[in-house]
């Protein structure tokens, strides 16, 4: 959902990125290097950055991880929480979902609730009730039900993605190609050049104005929605 | 979706209602009486009304019915087309879906496409490409993915529904009770008193502003969205 | 499934209610207060009551929790075990499912099996093979496949529900309204005033006599089935 | 569902079998021969028999076929209507479902409704509201949700099946083997020797007595349910 | 599935393409022009070509269309029949599926069966039992379960696709771009540059040799499978 | 999948069987006895055997179990990994799936990935990227998407299965009957006497040669595929 973050921030939204591990079990890069890359990327994006210190490959849905993430929710008080999709009905080869990603989605689902339980004294901070929970890293076996046109933000997204230098060697150096093509295929569905897919599990509130402003037809996304919030 | 129509019209949208039959095979009311009731209701609603002359219980997905509905689309040039859900994976006992309803959904799906084929000379009118196709009469076995808060329009909706006098004897005179409870149960999901459910099959275009304005949390629908467009 | 419990007990069935926590992380009520409320409610219902001492928000599917619940199964030797639905494919906002609820469903699924393994010496008690496992708290995104008409037991159910005094302030004091409307919407499906929904994952054994005695048609539930076992 | 018919009739139920075609496009047997075989089989079964004269391979969901089947419903006034499953999400190679079978399921779904519309004068007979619609020929890609133990009726079922002499050459004379194994595999699920599978799309009315009398556990079907109604 | 056809033919398979209409209701091109384009394309591909004379936008699942396609099956006696996916659970905006496409899938499903009924004298030709029925034009809401690496055949595919000159103006002249990106996104799943997706509804016969020769892992498709049959 | 193992080994494949527990919580047999039985069976089969020492009924998806299984993958370097199906959407009464089985499937899913992470130093052995992950113990509520004809290997399979002497008393001594009937019902789908079902979650790579060699039609499996690799 990187390019959407760019779009949100450039459109005036305030964004905080929470990272659970430093990816130290990956093939490329050390923990220190990757933390440094994250900091550069967040600065370029213009978001806040919260790095938790869970260990790579060891993210599991426990009381403690739920609590820790509930505290992050209580700290930033977001209207919308985004998380990687919580189960892996088939696979994510293309999108690279790691067991830590799906575990994170599962934990966030509970953490968002825990954040609002005022009786839950184990979690620091004031109770906070986020308005929406939306998933990214939608499994390829399931159609996103929200598509965000990010065509106008791909260049900037790529510049930010390149901050993660140590990861640029992945897939024979073609990791960005894969990510770009992924966004092209979702863009194809909207008739725009690039889009990112999301999945929301609750019914969306019907917003007539929003439907009147947009189009589900190929070629039908007006300029106003394409590039600005 | 009756109360949503009230909400749309009162919010300034222009609505046309297209009725396929006069329901002459029903238990109550004659074709003449029902047509008259439709006209009174449409006037009260403030919509245009198009009555086609298909025969009750004989709506089937044929080239001719697709063509006839494509002509209606070409005539009114809607941004959004609403249709009853197109298949009946299980049942509609509560909502009263009739084989004609599901057939209509199937036909509309093709008619919306036919309306935009400029080579389709059999259909009268200029080609028109509607922006969205959204279904109402969502089967109870499937969760709506759009919910419209209609709490503020229930009184007016009921007044309009009562225009269909001949149908008021259905279910031992409790037909409106059933329809009201149906909307209560969807309202329950949003934390409002009454809502109507819809199903859209395409991914919805992600609209950050709309998410920031609303809430999926119980009790979280702000007044601004509750009663006005 | 509260009103079904009333119906079962009033119909002569013997019921044991097992509670896993005292809900001490909730917004209202202390552990002591809630335990006291549970005891009053169980007495009014006429059921046995087993209170386990798991901690609120800390129910996870572990060997120890499976074992503990297997012991409860071995103790009460039920023909039917009821549990909250074991996964949360979307959400339960209306029904209030808590991560502890879905975890409980998952645990019970294994506990029922463990209860019958005679080699499982870690669990106290004689092996017991329950006949059926049926879920309540069916997610709203999935249709119940069993509906229990509880119209005649709603008054008594409400009196018992009110025993949980500390919880009556939930949802601005409208918690019972929500629960009632939920049952109304399932009742709508049967043509009765109130029903509770269940989900059974195994095929049900075809019982011709039962089908001949009932009706899936609106208005078709005969008096004999409506109010008595 | 042949063996279930035997079980129903032997248990005292009154059964009418309605056949739509004489199967004249099949590989074996003439229309006359097959009609004669049907009559012998129905007599042995003890059911009424209604043979309609639709043409083999030409069963389609039209107003006329719905009407014709609605008339059959009005004539026999059944509490339960059984039909072959109405769609073919994958295939029926084993069970031999023919396009005519799935079309029949689709038609019956509407015919059962048409039968109760008192305004539908095109259909002869008094309106009749059947209590249940249950499908047999459940596609192999979908689990039946009702299983009927027919172990005690397999011998008699086979004798009746053999009345369809012209069909005994199908599958190199092994057609009965296939049908028997099919019932064995469903029997496996119940822990009995043979069962037949059904699919009901409506929620089943919760019948505590029925659950208390049966078991979903392997080996748990008591003798009383095994062999008698 | 165009590039797969190139791969099949170049690998030595014998292919016949059957076209149902001349697309005369489309926006671009006349019937004559399109027929001529089809002939040029088939010649370049090296396939046989059968053009039926159904009318554009008027393909429906009737006895006559099933019969006509069964005759085509009987004429060419294929081992594998390919058809566009038979239902449209959501949409095909990107892939351009037309109601005629889904209708064709539905018809072929029955036609393949009719082709093997020796009693079906209405269809000309000797009975033929095709070994497999495989669908292309898989809806985007459903993951293909077969992916064919066509990377080595994209250039040739494009040359053949360009034979359909009149259609090159579609989507502002970007029709080939869309089709190429579609294949890129499926290629992404295999770790190859381009792939085409298929859906088979029957279980596939387990072929150990085939699994040992291939890989589901990214980057794991060996050269031998990439470019040759 | 026992008979498939026989078929694979007899066809020349090299197979390693990894067993997680000694089943000491089962009703019959001690840990020592069962280990001994496993050794005899593996020898008869001709496979390698790896017995891990997890405790029966205590298999959970933790970092340690993932690591342990990743080490097994790194040790044997398989092209194909087989695991019991990873979730239990409904039940396995017939196939006997135990919570340990589904947990194993979940663990293996992550272990296969962990095995290839070169940065994951906690796991012993050289990184290994298995080509395919295929599930056996497919839940009865879901159709296998791969079927392996094992008709020619049933006798040998039974001889090997009987090595597990202590388990032969299960289900009143009819455990083998159940397992055999299970394979008969899958065989029914292929038109062969016995088959085993598998589920693969990734799209299968389209292999034209394989489709040309086989048939999805009843009676269409040629001898060459029936009995040999």
């Amino acid at each position: 959902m990187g390019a959407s973050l760019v779009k949100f921030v450039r459109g005036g939204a305030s964004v905080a990125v929470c990272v659970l591990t430093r990816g130290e079990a990956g093939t490329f890069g050390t923990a220190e290097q990757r933390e440094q890359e994250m900091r550069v990327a967040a600065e370029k994006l213009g978001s806040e950055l919260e790095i938790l210190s869970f260990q790579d490959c060891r993210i599991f849905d426990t009381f403690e991880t739920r609590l820790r993430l509930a505290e992050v929710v209580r700290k930033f008080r977001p209207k919308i929480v985004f998380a990687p999709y919580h189960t892996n009905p088939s696979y994510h080869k293309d999108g690279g979902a790691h067991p830590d990603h799906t575990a994170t989605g599962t934990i966030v689902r509970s953490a968002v609730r825990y954040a609002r339980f005022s009786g839950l004294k184990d979690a620091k901070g004031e109770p906070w009730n986020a308005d929406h929970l939306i998933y990214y890293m939608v499994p390829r076996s399931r159609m996103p039900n929200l598509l965000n046109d990010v065509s106008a933000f791909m260049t900037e997204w790529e510049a930010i993605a390149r901050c993660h230098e140590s990861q640029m060697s992945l897939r024979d150096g073609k990791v960005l190609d894969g990510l770009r093509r992924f966004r092209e295929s979702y863009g194809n569905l909207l008739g725009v050049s690039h889009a990112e897919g999301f999945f929301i599990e609750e019914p969306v509130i019907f917003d007539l104005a929003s439907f009147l402003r947009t189009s589900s037809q190929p070629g039908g996304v007006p300029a106003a929605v394409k590039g600005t919030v």
Side-chain angles (χ1 to χ4, degrees), chain A:
Chain A
M1 69 164 297
S4 294
L5 291 182
V6 182
K7 182 174 175 178
F8 296 159
V9 173
R10 295 307 167 256
S14 136
V15 167
V17 172
C18 175
V19 177
L20 274 73
T21 78
R22 285 174 183 77
E24 66 273 11
T27 307
F28 303 102
T30 63
E32 296 67 33
Q33 193 178 354
R34 298 197 65 178
E35 175 170 345
Q36 182 53 25
E37 292 168 359
M38 291 171 200
R39 296 205 182 281
V40 174
E43 195 176 5
K44 206 162 215 159
L45 169 61
S47 74
E48 294 194 71
L49 175 66
E50 180 86 10
I51 303 181
L52 305 181
S53 296
F54 292 112
Q55 281 183 276
D56 194 7
C57 285
R58 299 194 198 187
I59 305 294
F60 286 86
D61 179 26
T62 66
F63 181 62
E64 288 68 29
T65 51
R66 290 181 187 179
L67 220 56
R68 192 69 198 85
L69 288 178
E71 289 173 353
V72 175
V73 171
R74 285 182 174 185
K75 174 175 175 187
F76 289 102
R77 308 173 76 78
K79 293 183 81 88
I80 310 177
V81 173
F82 292 93
Y85 194 72
H86 52 78
T87 42
N88 195 340
S90 69
Y91 73 123
H92 281 278
K93 279 189 316 200
D94 46 344
H98 183 288
D100 284 355
H101 287 131
T102 49
T104 300
T106 303
I107 297 166
V108 171
R109 204 148 57 143
S110 293
V112 166
R113 280 170 169 269
Y114 281 21
R116 74 167 188 256
F117 292 158
S118 54
L120 194 68
K121 305 301 186 198
D122 303 88
K124 271 172 282 179
E126 288 303 300
W128 177 254
N129 191 359
D131 285 329
H132 305 280
L133 172 54
I134 299 177
Y135 298 98
Y136 58 98
M137 284 197 148
V138 184
R140 286 303 293 240
S141 61
R142 131 169 264 176
M143 190 62 169
N145 55 16
L146 291 171
L147 285 175
N148 195 19
D149 176 13
V150 294
S151 311
F153 301 93
M154 285 300 290
T155 314
E156 204 172 351
W157 163 77
E158 187 167 330
I160 293 170
R162 284 191 185 284
C163 297
H164 300 277
E165 279 176 44
S166 65
Q167 306 306 300
M168 290 301 110
S169 319
L170 274 171
R171 307 191 178 212
D172 310 322
K174 294 181 176 164
V175 62
L176 284 187
D177 278 10
L179 295 172
R180 220 182 292 111
R181 281 166 76 178
F182 208 3
R183 284 155 177 83
E184 282 172 11
S185 75
Y186 284 140
N188 241 13
L189 301 177
L190 278 190
V192 303
S193 74
H194 296 81
E196 290 182 340
F198 296 89
F199 200 84
I200 184 163
E201 300 213 315
E202 276 84 359
V204 169
I205 292 172
F206 192 102
D207 184 341
L208 183 63
S210 181
F211 279 112
L212 291 177
R213 227 173 34 234
T214 62
S215 171
S216 299
Q217 295 305 324
V221 183
V225 177
K226 277 185 186 168
T228 65
V229 175

